[in-house]
């Protein structure tokens, strides 16, 4: 396997750091941390350049806060200057690692996402034999359980620049013996790197033709119940011995029952958003929160739930319905005419 070197010099030039600042500030120009960094942009970028090349750079302490949806998690928000460094690393390394990821790994990748994952899952259900089963699994406390030594070995299989990997691994440490912090830009890529061997194991060694993964939620379609149970034990063993990870749960049932995956309840012929999304939408409509309501509508755009949501707005919250983008109002009109 060819390893890539001389990345430190490429990632941390003045021009690269400036581009990283542009990437880091995109959509955040009105935020205080971004504005404060921009007030002395040249000086702040020069300070980062000197610290990195003088081997004195260290990330500042994270700002920690809790989020409770879809489940309680501690978020570790980096200082803006450290986000700039992460973007400088990400711009250079994402293409290197992305080339080795399977097409059916959908999280945090350009051109992928939840809609693409849901589309693939529904297509896989349709391609599965009628009496076949699906095996759905996820990993116990995934981000908090990642072995940083295993992560570093996987990074070093691709990158031979020691100075560069030292800086990369600074963003994997958050003061705990194991795990990586949720909230870092690079944590998203590290999650992809850690589970990439699992994807190739399931596809190549187990021979799964219909398989997809979104972060640590992954599904095999179209096998017999017995084959799924055999694969379950092989996957458990692989995760534990190769990656130091364990499963939190699994579901084994016939494909015709559909599945709950990436925010959707999906069957062969139809798809709905989850009940929690319906609850969020109802609460947003009552508050007149247009942005939140439009977000749920976007989530529901390829589902049977969309017509119901639009009808609900038109009948119960007409003022909010009239503030929707025209494409949604026209779609509701077309649905009503068809009905």
């Amino acid at each position: 396997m060819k390893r890539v070197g001389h990345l430190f010099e490429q990632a941390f030039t003045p021009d690269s750091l400036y581009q990283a600042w542009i990437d880091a500030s995109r959509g955040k120009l009105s935020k205080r941390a971004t504005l404060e960094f921009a007030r002395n942009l040249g000086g702040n970028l020069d300070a980062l350049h000197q610290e990195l090349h003088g081997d004195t750079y260290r990330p500042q302490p994270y700002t920690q806060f809790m989020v409770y949806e879809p489940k309680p998690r501690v978020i570790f928000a980096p200082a803006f200057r450290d986000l700039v460094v992460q973007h400088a690393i990400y711009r250079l390394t994402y293409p290197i690692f992305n080339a080795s990821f399977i097409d059916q790994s959908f999280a945090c990748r350009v051109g992928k996402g939840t809609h693409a994952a849901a589309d693939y899952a529904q297509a896989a259900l349709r391609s599965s034999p009628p009496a076949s089963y699906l095996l759905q699994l996820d990993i116990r406390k995934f981000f908090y359980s990642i072995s940083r030594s295993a992560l570093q070995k996987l990074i070093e299989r691709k990158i031979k620049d020691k100075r560069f990997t030292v800086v990369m691994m600074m963003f994997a440490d958050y003061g705990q013996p194991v795990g990586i912090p949720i909230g870092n830009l690079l944590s998203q890529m590290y999650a992809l790197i850690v589970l990439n061997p699992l994807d190739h194991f399931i596809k190549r060694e187990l021979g799964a033709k219909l398989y997809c993964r979104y972060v640590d939620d992954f599904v095999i379609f179209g096998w017999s119940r017995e084959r799924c149970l055999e694969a379950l034990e092989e996957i458990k063993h692989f995760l534990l011995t190769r990656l130091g990870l364990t499963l939190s749960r699994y579901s084994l049932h016939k494909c015709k029952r559909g599945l709950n995956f990436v925010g959707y309840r999906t069957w062969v012929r139809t798809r709905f958003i989850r009940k929690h999304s319906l609850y969020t939408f109802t609460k947003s409509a009552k508050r007149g929160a247009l942005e939140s309501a439009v977000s749920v509508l976007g989530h529901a755009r390829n589902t049977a739930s969309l017509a119901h949501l639009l009808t609900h707005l038109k009948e119960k919250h007409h003022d909010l319905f009239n503030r929707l983008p025209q494409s949604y109002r026209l779609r509701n009109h077309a649905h009503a005419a068809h009905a």
Side-chain angles (χ1 to χ4, degrees):
M1 181 182 297
K2 186 177 180 181
R3 300 166 71 212
V4 182
H6 305 293
L7 294 181
F8 189 97
E9 293 80 2
Q10 298 178 56
F12 302 133
T13 66
D15 286 345
S16 294
L17 288 172
Y18 177 74
Q19 183 59 54
W21 171 76
I22 293 175
D23 294 341
S25 61
R26 189 169 289 120
K28 301 177 182 176
L29 287 172
S30 62
K31 293 194 173 182
R32 178 184 296 179
T34 312
L35 290 171
E36 288 179 355
F37 193 91
R39 284 194 186 100
N40 184 24
L41 181 60
N44 285 324
L45 291 177
D46 184 60
L48 280 177
H49 183 267
Q50 290 188 33
E51 289 174 29
L52 286 160
H53 287 267
D55 296 323
T56 61
Y57 171 78
R58 298 294 183 273
Q60 294 180 357
Y62 292 103
T63 299
Q64 299 182 37
F65 58 93
M66 289 290 298
V67 298
Y68 297 93
E69 298 298 340
K71 56 187 176 181
R73 293 175 297 166
V74 182
I75 302 299
F76 296 81
F80 185 80
R81 73 192 306 265
D82 299 322
L83 184 60
V84 172
V85 176
Q86 289 191 52
H87 272 279
I89 295 169
Y90 184 84
R91 289 181 67 246
L92 212 57
T93 55
Y94 174 80
I96 295 170
F97 289 101
N98 187 60
S100 68
F101 299 152
I102 66 169
D103 288 342
Q104 296 78 30
S105 172
F106 287 99
C108 306
R109 297 178 64 194
V110 177
K112 304 289 185 179
T114 56
H115 289 285
D119 288 344
Y120 178 88
Q122 190 165 41
L125 288 174
R126 290 169 178 166
S127 298
S128 299
S132 65
Y133 285 73
L134 67 81
L135 177 65
Q136 184 174 10
L137 315 98
D138 73 16
I139 295 170
R140 184 183 304 277
K141 297 181 179 179
F142 172 52
F143 281 90
Y144 300 132
S145 301
I146 289 174
S147 163
R148 291 196 289 271
S149 61
L151 169 64
Q152 184 167 348
K153 288 176 183 177
L154 290 168
I155 289 173
E156 290 174 347
R157 289 179 63 186
K158 292 282 187 182
I159 295 174
K160 62 181 178 181
D161 187 331
K162 180 65 176 177
R163 197 179 181 196
F164 188 70
T165 57
V166 166
V167 180
M168 286 186 72
M169 291 305 298
M170 289 180 185
F171 296 106
D173 193 348
Y174 67 120
Q176 299 298 319
V178 296
I180 62 175
I182 300 174
N184 270 338
L185 169 70
L186 289 178
S187 291
Q188 301 172 6
M189 187 174 72
Y190 293 164
L192 288 166
I193 292 169
V194 166
L195 289 186
N196 189 44
L198 172 69
D199 294 337
H200 288 278
F201 172 73
I202 291 174
K203 292 280 288 182
R204 294 180 181 181
E205 297 189 36
L206 299 187
K209 294 181 179 179
L210 298 173
Y211 164 78
C212 63
R213 180 174 61 80
Y214 194 92
V215 192
D216 64 326
D217 191 355
F218 51 108
V219 193
I220 300 171
F221 304 83
W223 279 352
S224 68
R225 187 175 186 278
E226 292 73 20
R227 182 68 188 100
C228 286
L229 288 171
E230 291 172 0
L232 173 62
E233 295 307 314
E234 293 178 271
I235 290 168
K236 285 180 179 178
H237 183 263
F238 181 90
L239 285 171
L240 185 62
T241 59
R242 292 283 299 276
L243 301 174
L245 299 170
T246 58
L247 295 177
S248 70
R249 66 173 179 86
Y250 73 90
S251 177
L252 173 60
H253 57 263
K254 287 190 175 181
C255 289
K256 66 182 181 181
R257 282 181 49 192
L259 79 160
N260 198 330
F261 183 59
V262 294
Y264 299 97
R265 295 171 293 148
T266 302
W267 292 267
V268 169
R269 291 183 177 84
T270 191
R271 188 190 313 168
F272 295 93
I273 61 175
R274 287 176 177 168
K275 291 180 180 179
H276 180 76
S277 296
L278 290 172
Y279 173 78
T280 299
F281 182 81
T282 302
K283 298 289 284 186
S284 299
K286 286 181 179 179
R287 299 196 321 269
L290 178 64
E291 185 176 347
S292 178
V294 169
S295 176
V296 178
L297 289 173
H299 179 60
R301 68 185 185 215
N302 293 327
T303 75
S305 301
L306 181 60
H308 166 74
L309 299 179
L310 291 171
T311 299
H312 175 80
L313 276 189
K314 189 172 184 180
E315 293 178 354
K316 305 291 185 179
H317 307 279
H318 196 68
D319 290 345
L320 186 61
F321 177 83
N322 288 333
R323 291 164 56 201
L324 291 176
Q326 187 179 24
S327 59
Y328 286 116
R329 287 182 278 117
L330 289 174
R331 187 160 183 172
N332 178 260
H333 178 75
H335 174 76
H338 178 73

